[in-house]
Amino acid sequence: MKIRLLSFLLIFVASTLNAQQIIPYSYYQYQKLNKSQYSLDTRFHTSLKPVIGDDSVITKKLDSLLSVGITAKNTWVGRKLFNEHLVEIKKEDYSFYLDFLTDLQIGRDNEHKINTFLNTRGYQVGGHVGKKFSFYSSGFENQARFNNYLTKYIVSKGVIPGQANDKFDPANTTKDWAYATAVLNYDVNKYLTVTLGQDKNFIGDGYRSMLFSDVASPYPFLRLTATLGNVKYMAMWSQFQDPLAPKLSYDNGFRKKWGAFHYLDWNVNNRLSVGFFDAIIWQGADETGRRGFDVTYLNPIVFLRTVEGINGSPDNALLGFTGKYKLLKNLTVYGQAVADEFTAKEVFSGEGYWANKFAYQLGVKGFDAFKVAGLNYLAEFNTARPFTYTQRSSTLNYGHYAEALAHPMGANFREFLTIWNYQINKWAFSAQANYATYGLNNGENVGKDINESYETRARKYGYKTAGGLKTNFAYLDGRVSYIINPKYNLRFEAGAIFRQEKNSLSTDKTTMITFGLRSSFRNIYQDF
């Protein structure tokens, strides 16, 4: 008996040490971890996502979330359909799982009389080898017909939002594209982790991020993450693409640009956390084809803004700050501030200097609202001044694949949003409301579209947030889901959307309903 008990304990400890899970980032899935991540008893680094599940509190909570499916009879079909991965292997020194993913939806855009559909087939595969190496990959083949406002967005940018370029004739209302991610993670030791990926990253505690978000398409990156006591430090190098810039040659494809990012998150105590962020974007090659990866940005602990100055200031530099304070046991206040470029004397002059480019965020979030277990909530305000994230050309701006690396509305906006979600047993409910004001071009560049060069501005002063053609934006989204298999989020889902964009020249309204059989955990934004 003693030998068997000792063997069991050794196997349990080994499996715990090996349980390095790469948890794909999905806002709604991560909200369910709020009680564990934002507890007053922990100092979990919540602002850097995706999370690698090396924290026993998080993995325990995640396991509980992945066990709410239907309790099926002990048949292979029943277990695979309702409780398990399609293929799952768990050994003492390695694990592996594989799932077939489907996302089938039908809907109706009532105002524009468009029948919409989404036909997605995909996979996810993940696991770990030994105590140090873990991996995750997903891939999707898609065909869809979108509602009116998304179709206009795709035609104007040539990009399926957050996924891939639109390779076919813009006049074709049915879109066809592929989407894939892959992440390899290696724990060098308890202090240092190396991650190589084709995926997205997110910095912040809110729904949006004004520093670095997962809005745009996946991109290749190399990330080093170091943890020492209450400090977590991230250094990352990425390559982005710009389909809007003229190609230098057909053989080289879309124009490339590079990014270097540093982020330090310090848990001062169990309540207070502060973070410091800097980033540089530089073009991969100019019209002569010169300049590629700049090794001066390779040092993971150098202050990027200083190196950019040494290089003659040819690149796009950003500085940022994050803060978080657990005000109550179930309520956290958080915020961000970004400085793209500004002149102190011009800030206080109040004359609307164009180059005072900054943005900020303030929000509250929590769990167990009104003493209802599992009721998560968030309320958030975001704003960015005109021309924030823009540069001399799109090959230098803070974007990838014609989309923003921060907020999907670009710049020159104010936004308030609130999101509530609740899960009880197999039922999940979510409600979201966004309201924003922003300025659209009305005969001149007013600094909203980050892909427009700031050199096309009409004047030097007089720029106010939401200036230009003042536009009011409203967005409501409600969803009800019945979870079939929580291992890969297979669910029946019904949803309703209301969207309105209104200004003095026009009003565009969309109301639609959707029904679907859906799976996977990926974030795809359509609330803009």
Side-chain angles (χ1 to χ4, degrees):
M1 178 65 71
K2 290 182 179 179
I3 293 175
R4 289 181 179 179
L5 179 60
L6 179 60
S7 299
F8 172 81
L9 290 174
L10 288 174
I11 293 172
F12 175 79
V13 170
S15 65
T16 301
L17 290 173
N18 291 336
Q20 298 290 321
Q21 298 185 62
I22 298 174
I23 308 172
Y25 177 56
S26 162
Y27 170 80
Y28 288 98
Q29 184 72 357
Y30 273 52
Q31 277 288 91
K32 300 172 186 178
L33 301 173
N34 278 350
K35 192 169 185 177
S36 298
Q37 294 190 80
Y38 293 91
S39 167
L40 290 175
D41 298 325
T42 66
R43 295 191 183 184
F44 192 79
H45 295 278
T46 57
S47 58
L48 190 58
K49 305 177 181 77
V51 167
I52 305 299
D54 55 359
D55 183 277
S56 60
V57 175
I58 300 302
T59 52
K60 183 178 179 180
K61 178 62 177 178
L62 184 66
D63 289 341
S64 70
L65 291 174
L66 298 181
S67 61
V68 298
I70 300 171
T71 303
K73 294 182 178 180
N74 192 26
T75 64
W76 187 90
V77 174
R79 288 186 287 108
K80 298 302 176 181
L81 182 60
F82 299 118
N83 294 105
E84 298 180 0
H85 293 292
L86 179 62
V87 177
E88 187 169 15
I89 302 172
K90 288 186 178 181
K91 299 294 183 179
E92 186 173 335
D93 57 349
Y94 71 91
S95 67
F96 174 85
Y97 66 86
L98 169 69
D99 292 306
F100 172 75
L101 304 178
T102 184
D103 197 346
L104 307 175
Q105 284 183 281
I106 57 173
R108 173 72 174 175
D109 180 346
N110 296 312
E111 275 72 25
H112 304 94
K113 296 179 173 57
I114 300 173
N115 292 323
T116 65
F117 73 89
L118 175 64
N119 178 13
T120 294
R121 294 85 57 212
Y123 73 89
Q124 72 169 4
V125 58
H128 78 275
V129 179
K131 300 177 182 179
K132 296 180 178 294
F133 180 75
S134 55
F135 58 92
Y136 179 83
S137 178
S138 66
F140 303 89
E141 178 63 30
N142 315 266
Q143 293 82 40
R145 188 181 186 192
F146 294 97
N147 60 33
N148 184 66
Y149 83 87
L150 288 175
T151 300
K152 291 196 298 183
Y153 179 93
I154 293 168
V155 170
S156 66
K157 292 184 177 290
V159 173
I160 309 297
Q163 299 188 66
N165 63 309
D166 180 18
K167 299 179 291 185
F168 302 101
D169 183 358
N172 189 345
T173 57
T174 298
K175 304 299 180 182
D176 190 324
W177 75 98
Y179 174 97
T181 69
V183 178
L184 303 175
N185 193 78
Y186 183 74
D187 294 315
V188 179
N189 51 46
K190 67 179 182 178
Y191 303 109
L192 179 64
T193 299
V194 180
T195 306
L196 178 66
Q198 171 81 20
D199 205 352
K200 306 180 184 185
N201 293 269
F202 188 97
I203 295 177
D205 288 283
Y207 175 69
R208 308 288 200 192
S209 177
M210 308 305 287
L211 274 68
F212 197 67
S213 79
D214 59 339
V215 169
S217 305
Y219 46 84
F221 66 87
L222 173 65
R223 186 179 69 220
L224 306 180
T225 308
T227 304
L228 186 61
N230 294 322
V231 173
K232 176 167 281 192
Y233 180 75
M234 181 273 287
M236 184 173 70
W237 300 268
S238 307
Q239 186 185 67
F240 305 115
Q241 300 198 52
D242 182 9
L244 301 178
K247 291 183 179 180
L248 300 180
S249 72
Y250 176 80
D251 293 333
N252 290 330
F254 293 136
R255 294 277 293 275
K256 307 297 191 296
K257 55 185 176 181
W258 297 88
F261 308 86
H262 298 158
Y263 178 64
L264 185 149
D265 187 49
W266 176 30
N267 287 330
V268 180
N269 52 45
N270 280 21
R271 289 182 181 267
L272 177 64
S273 298
V274 293
F276 305 91
F277 173 83
D278 67 346
I280 291 286
I281 303 292
W282 71 95
Q283 62 181 1
D286 59 17
E287 285 73 12
T288 65
R290 298 171 182 171
R291 197 182 185 199
F293 184 85
D294 194 327
V295 296
T296 60
Y297 297 125
L298 193 56
N299 192 311
I301 61 173
V302 72
F303 190 53
L304 293 173
R305 184 66 179 86
T306 301
V307 176
E308 189 260 350
I310 293 173
N311 286 348
S313 298
D315 306 320
N316 183 12
L318 288 92
L319 298 176
F321 170 82
T322 65
K324 175 187 72 182
Y325 187 78
K326 300 172 187 176
L327 192 63
L328 303 173
K329 66 177 183 179
N330 66 339
L331 186 149
T332 297
V333 180
Y334 62 89
Q336 295 183 338
V338 177
D340 190 356
E341 185 178 351
F342 70 94
T343 304
K345 69 175 183 178
E346 297 289 1
V347 171
F348 296 106
S349 70
E351 295 183 9
Y353 183 50
W354 76 273
N356 286 335
K357 301 188 293 182
F358 50 84
Y360 65 88
Q361 174 189 87
L362 184 63
V364 296
K365 66 185 304 182
F367 54 89
D368 295 350
F370 310 116
K371 299 182 179 181
V372 177
L375 179 57
N376 299 290
Y377 60 94
L378 174 146
E380 183 175 290
F381 175 76
N382 302 292
T383 184
R385 273 189 52 78
F387 301 105
T388 305
Y389 312 113
T390 63
Q391 257 292 330
R392 300 184 301 277
S393 69
S394 56
T395 56
L396 283 170
N397 73 355
Y398 202 62
H400 165 56
Y401 250 114
E403 297 185 291
L405 285 173
H407 197 290
M409 291 183 182
N412 195 21
F413 70 88
R414 297 187 184 93
E415 177 196 43
F416 173 80
L417 65 92
T418 183
I419 302 175
W420 295 71
N421 56 64
Y422 175 64
Q423 180 171 324
I424 179 169
N425 298 324
K426 298 178 288 293
W427 290 95
F429 307 86
S430 68
Q432 176 179 345
N434 301 49
Y435 177 78
T437 58
Y438 46 77
L440 297 176
N441 289 352
N442 190 13
E444 67 169 289
N445 180 8
V446 295
K448 183 181 188 299
D449 186 352
I450 68 168
N451 294 306
E452 290 193 60
S453 169
Y454 60 53
E455 293 181 341
T456 64
R457 67 186 185 279
R459 57 190 187 276
K460 189 174 180 179
Y461 294 97
Y463 291 100
K464 306 293 184 183
T465 303
L469 178 59
K470 185 176 181 180
T471 302
N472 294 318
F473 170 88
Y475 181 89
L476 301 175
D477 187 319
R479 298 182 185 275
V480 179
S481 304
Y482 183 82
I483 300 171
I484 302 171
N485 190 325
K487 292 288 186 180
Y488 48 97
N489 204 20
L490 180 65
R491 64 203 187 274
F492 288 116
E493 182 179 275
I497 294 172
F498 170 83
R499 179 188 183 272
Q500 181 173 276
E501 187 180 46
K502 184 177 182 179
N503 54 47
S504 60
L505 298 182
S506 65
T507 298
D508 181 55
K509 185 167 69 172
T510 298
T511 58
M512 64 179 298
I513 56 173
T514 59
F515 300 94
L517 176 65
R518 314 193 64 188
S519 59
S520 88
F521 299 104
R522 57 184 180 159
N523 258 358
I524 302 296
Y525 296 90
Q526 298 182 353
D527 51 345
F528 50 81

